[in-house]
Amino acid sequence: MEARDATAGAFVGTDREKKSAKKDAAPKAVTPQTKSRMEKIFGFKKEDLCCWESLVALLNRPTDPASLGIFRCLFGLLMAIDVTQERGLSHLDYKYLDGAPVCRFPLFSFLEPLPLDWMYLVYLVMFLGALGIMLGCFYRLSCLMFISTYWYIFFLDKTAWNNHSYLYGLIGFQLAIMDGNRYWSVDGLRKPSIRNAHVPLWNYTLLRTQIFIVYFIAGVKKLDADWVEGYSMSYLAHHWLFDPFKVILPVELVSLLVVHGGGLVLDLTAGYLLFFDATRPVVFFFVSYFHCMNSQLFSIGMFSYTMLATSPLFCYADWPRRFFARFPSFLRGVLPFTSAEIQPSTSCLYPEIRSSSECRETQNPAKPSKLRFKHKLGAVFTILYIAEQFFMPYSHFITKGYNNWTNGLYGYSWDMMVHSRSHQHVKITYKDGKTGEIGYLNPGVFTQSRRWKDHGDMLKQYATCLSGLLPHYNISDPEIYFDIWVSINERFQQRIFDPRVDIVKAEWSPFKTNPWLMPLLVDLSPWRTKFQEIEGSLDNQTEIVFIADFPGLQLENFVSNDLGNTSIHVLQGQVNVEIVDEKKNSTLQPGDQIQVPAGAYHKVYTVSERPSCYMYVYVNTTETVLLQNFTKLQELQERIRNGTETEPLPPELQPLMAADDDKEAEVNATDPVVQLFLKRQRRMKEVKKRREAGVLERLGRFAVKKYYTIRRGFLMTAIAIRNLVLGLPPVEQLRREVAFANMKEPEAEANPDETLRNEVGHAEL
């Protein structure tokens, strides 16, 4: 809350009116009231907090609606765009797969998606609600349309949860109870009584505190040792956006100081520094730079732009009036109000004017208003909501069943980017309850999501779903076991769930600790520094995987024929390696190693009393040979083009004489290596051309891509609404309509299905 908000009173006068008032007041030598230091810094006096009535009066103090109105418009616009992209309107048929056997992960088991055509209607309602919020048209109804459909879709799929999607729902809910249509809105044109009218200060307090919580709690969560030591997002330092920092710092320090240190400091301080006049301009620059970088680093939809739109909320509430007053007068008809004549509002609490000087300072003062129930209700709601938002990120001691290696469902804890995961090995084993037959399932069968691998609640839902689907494939009373290996923040790959537990029959409760969750081996975290030393000692062709396992468990692994020279090196503990085909066993101590054959299974048993640690060292011989062949072909092609190749080429190498963009030569190549080489050359040339493209070309390509994405969403929606109103057309007509909706730009060569998934899919955070 700034001083300007606190002293807004009923009206804010124009510069000319202020000068006139000063002239009138000068002969009478009225001494202006001086503000205390606290009021200058924070915008309120300590007396405003001394009792309940004073606090209610403070939170309901009349405030300029301009900044809130501009934010409402921007938020509605961004959410309308978000509906077509991250919410999934443009790929709804891929997302819900109407009629197909699909395992879903709703928050509440009774939630089910509607038939596909009806889901398009739900999305249309959400889009129209966002559009209504942007325009301030039938504002309350638009907010209700948006948040009801938004939260339904949000609760329908836990696998799509993330912090910013949760934030959108919270802001939508807040706007629904605020007076966001008092400035630059269609409702203001329809109802002159609310046009350019005051809003209570708690409208701003809620939004500002919500954004403060997003920053500050995210900073507190980054005090985690993994983040401070630079293990959470170390891969980001290799992105081209950090190239300017790499001019003066090595990559390791860029990761530690810029990525992790800079992110920690910004999140901890931004929420505070945005409140104060002296620090706000500097923080504006850094948070804007931060969010613009995030928009390029991560696939996070409209989140970066939404956070940019929230920053002006911390400025004086009348900043839009002063900003748009600078525009030419002929644009005033379409621009927001610049007039300072603000109407009184019954939502606000107006104080009594106690002196004639106060009366002269306020043009056409509003009548004093009495403290009403709705004023108290607004204050109570503000306090309770803020308390709840501070509590939610630390409420995991209640919902213990959702805790895994990280606490709670990812999405409401503001632990953004604190944890990165990689999955090395996932095996799903089923056992027929009647015949005892054992078989294996393709990981991810009957689902499009990958989140179930990290969350016990989703794993339970997945196993329950599979147990209902497998009987259709002659598997009775199935038992289902999961063996999932995960590395979190560059630790060892280790099991996250007990592979000996039948998840179908396993107990799970949202309020009890998950009994089949394996503990994270944090005692082995210091090994990460040794990992870097070991990896640094290897050549570029050698790859390595670090494994840790629990006593009494085993890892069954198959070495592909492509992976020659594969060996196991023991780092800690004791293991027994069994070569299945050869029926040979070897016991290894720390420092020992053994070669394992390619194209065969082997088992690694942990026989020590403490967890074992070992590593696989291998070379992808197939890839190595292929790269060597590519190098030879590249040298031959260069000699052909510069005229130094004098020997005649055999028929299988003659396509190398064609130009890089000659697709016919690629198709006509008879040698598969030559064909793959030409295809690789063409793609590398395309990538280089895209990277060297100018700003206008990039913007044009981006606009075309988004146009076809949004176009598909609306055309498919039109088809769905037509189906609901008029019924299904003949199949051939429906096929033609969908094909028209799927039409892509002429340059698009990729599979349309894959392209759509790549365009709208967001990163695993």
Side-chain angles (χ1 to χ4, degrees), residues 684-736:
M684 289 175 63
K685 185 176 181 180
E686 291 173 356
V687 170
K688 182 179 179 181
K689 182 180 178 181
R690 283 176 172 268
R691 288 179 176 175
E692 295 176 351
V695 175
L696 292 179
E697 184 179 345
R698 287 171 180 257
L699 287 175
R701 195 164 59 228
F702 173 81
V704 169
K705 177 181 175 181
K706 293 304 177 185
Y707 163 75
Y708 280 98
T709 300
I710 296 172
R711 171 186 179 275
R712 184 182 193 276
F714 285 116
L715 287 177
M716 293 296 290
T717 302
I719 294 171
I721 300 303
R722 189 276 318 276
N723 294 345
L724 292 174
V725 176
L726 303 177
L728 286 171
V731 175
E732 188 59 34
Q733 178 184 342
L734 191 61
R735 184 181 293 113
R736 289 196 304 269

Side-chain angles (χ1 to χ4, degrees), residues 383 406 496:
I383 295 170
T406 57
I496 185 171

